[in-house]
Amino acid sequence: MSVDRHLIEVLGATGDLFSRKLLPAINALRAGQDAEVVVLGAATGEMTDDDFRGQARAALMDAGHGDDDAMHWCDDCLHYERVPRDAGYEGLADRIK
């Protein structure tokens, strides 16, 4: 069976661990795949998809992954969902669907 798309959900996606370690690793992993790799980052902070993508592009450039392919991947396949501390995960579940 062929898989056309992978979704990686990351809680705490505005943190240092995601920016310095996970994002560069996910980028390296997806670069070797035929399937599309989509990241849905979630955290408690207010942020738009574009804000999240901008942070991701900067993090990848800092990690030496600033090629055009990685930048296009950020624009096309990175998404953000705010999960308020006092709320459940329904909004995140809806976004995944």
Side-chain angles (χ1 to χ4, degrees):
M1 174 170 50
S2 168
V3 177
D4 297 328
R5 182 179 234 190
H6 300 283
L7 172 66
I8 299 173
E9 165 57 44
V10 180
L11 299 176
T14 58
D16 186 57
L17 176 64
F18 177 73
S19 295
R20 288 189 315 107
K21 300 293 183 181
L22 294 176
L23 184 61
I26 293 169
N27 178 59
L29 174 70
R30 67 105 206 147
Q33 299 291 317
D34 289 332
E36 181 180 32
V37 176
V38 176
V39 173
L40 177 56
T44 58
E46 291 282 343
M47 184 178 290
T48 66
D49 281 346
D50 286 336
D51 294 337
F52 181 63
R53 291 173 185 138
Q55 284 187 356
R57 282 191 296 273
L60 286 174
M61 288 192 296
D62 287 347
H65 295 257
D67 58 275
D68 287 344
D69 180 53
M71 298 301 105
H72 289 297
W73 174 66
C74 286
D75 292 338
D76 297 339
C77 296
L78 291 175
H79 308 280
Y80 181 80
E81 182 68 28
R82 180 175 182 260
V83 180
R85 292 175 198 253
D86 58 348
Y89 294 99
E90 291 81 16
L92 187 59
D94 290 342
R95 184 88 185 251
I96 290 171
K97 292 176 187 176

